[in-house]
């Protein structure tokens, strides 16, 4: 017998009471509220950043950048409770039954580890490690494809930002070696 999760009838209410406003799904609604609360808290923290001098500003002041990202995340979050209207209830329900694959968790852990080491490694070495280790984790074994990608892509990004855009990255261990 196939192990399936029975569908909840529409008449049954979640949370022991009423549905959230506008017929949104409780899970999506709670997730959106949590994300918005975290974004609000982080936005408050960014208001306490010191203002950078005009010389340090490159198009927009540095203290605005995290605020713009948080506003963007918040705007996208507003669509989460209405996802089932875009995809349909059956499609959205089927997607939620699929469990997270272990490779996704391993990828997230690897990225967290590398980002944690970024202040020590520097930006270029961090990009190089990500471009080398993630494809290896995902099963890419062709060294003739992997090595050029792991060297050329971070190099091109670094050249674009440093030479064309005038944005300089943290050197990390490279500053101590050279």
């Amino acid at each position: 017998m196939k192990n399936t999760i029975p569908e909840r009838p529409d008449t049954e209410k979640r949370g022991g009471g009423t549905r959230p406003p506008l017929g949104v799904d409780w899970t999506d609604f709670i997730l959106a509220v949590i994300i918005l609360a975290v974004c609000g808290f982080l936005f408050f923290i960014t208001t306490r950043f010191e203002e950078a001098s005009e010389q340090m500003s490159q198009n927009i002041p540095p203290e605005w950048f995290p605020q713009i990202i948080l506003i963007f995340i918040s705007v996208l979050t507003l669509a989460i409770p209405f996802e089932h209207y875009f995809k349909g209830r059956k499609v959205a329900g089927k997607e939620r039954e699929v469990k997270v694959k272990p490779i996704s968790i391993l990828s997230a852990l690897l990225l967290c580890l590398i980002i944690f080491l970024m202040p020590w490694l520097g930006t270029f070495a961090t990009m190089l490690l990500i471009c080398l280790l993630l494809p290896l984790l995902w099963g890419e074994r062709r060294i003739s494809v992997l090595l050029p990608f792991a060297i050329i892509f971070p190099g091109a990004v670094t050249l674009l930002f440093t030479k064309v855009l005038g944005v300089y990255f943290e050197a990390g261990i490279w500053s101590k070696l050279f």
Side-chain angles (χ1 to χ4, degrees):
M1 184 169 169
K2 190 174 180 182
N3 209 3
T4 60
I5 300 172
E7 288 191 32
R8 185 180 297 216
D10 288 336
T11 57
E12 183 177 326
K13 306 223 184 217
R14 294 188 200 178
T18 60
R19 295 178 67 85
L22 303 173
V24 296
D25 186 71
W26 265 111
T27 306
D28 293 342
F29 182 74
I30 292 169
L31 177 65
V33 168
I34 291 170
I35 293 171
L36 289 172
V38 169
C39 285
F41 175 72
L42 292 175
F43 192 90
F44 170 73
I45 290 174
T46 63
T47 61
R48 304 177 80 174
F49 288 177
E50 291 182 28
E51 283 191 29
S53 69
E54 292 289 326
Q55 296 171 343
M56 298 297 289
S57 296
Q58 299 173 5
N59 297 330
I60 63 169
E63 65 273 6
W64 286 11
F65 185 72
Q67 292 175 345
I68 292 170
I69 297 293
L70 290 169
I71 290 170
F72 185 69
I73 291 170
S74 298
V75 168
L76 290 177
T77 299
L78 294 175
I80 291 176
F82 305 101
E83 176 188 21
H84 62 278
Y85 289 122
F86 306 132
K87 292 185 175 182
R89 280 196 193 278
K90 289 184 180 181
V91 174
K94 286 180 183 178
E95 288 178 353
R96 291 179 185 186
E97 290 176 8
V98 178
K99 293 188 185 268
V100 177
K101 295 181 180 177
I103 193 72
S104 301
I105 295 169
L106 285 173
S107 298
L109 290 174
L110 177 65
L111 286 172
C112 287
L113 174 67
I114 293 173
I115 296 300
F116 177 74
L117 295 173
M118 185 177 175
W120 179 73
L121 290 172
T123 307
F124 181 74
T126 300
M127 285 191 295
L128 194 122
L129 271 178
I130 288 172
C131 289
L132 182 67
L133 296 178
L134 271 182
L136 278 173
L137 179 66
W138 295 339
E140 179 59 57
R141 298 293 180 250
R142 297 174 294 171
I143 299 298
S144 62
V145 172
L146 186 61
L147 282 180
F149 169 71
I151 295 169
I152 293 172
F153 181 73
V157 169
T158 302
L159 285 175
L160 172 71
F161 276 86
T162 57
K163 300 298 181 193
V164 177
L165 301 174
V167 177
Y168 295 98
F169 295 133
E170 181 130 0
I173 59 173
W174 299 107
S175 65
K176 293 175 178 84
L177 294 176
F178 299 107

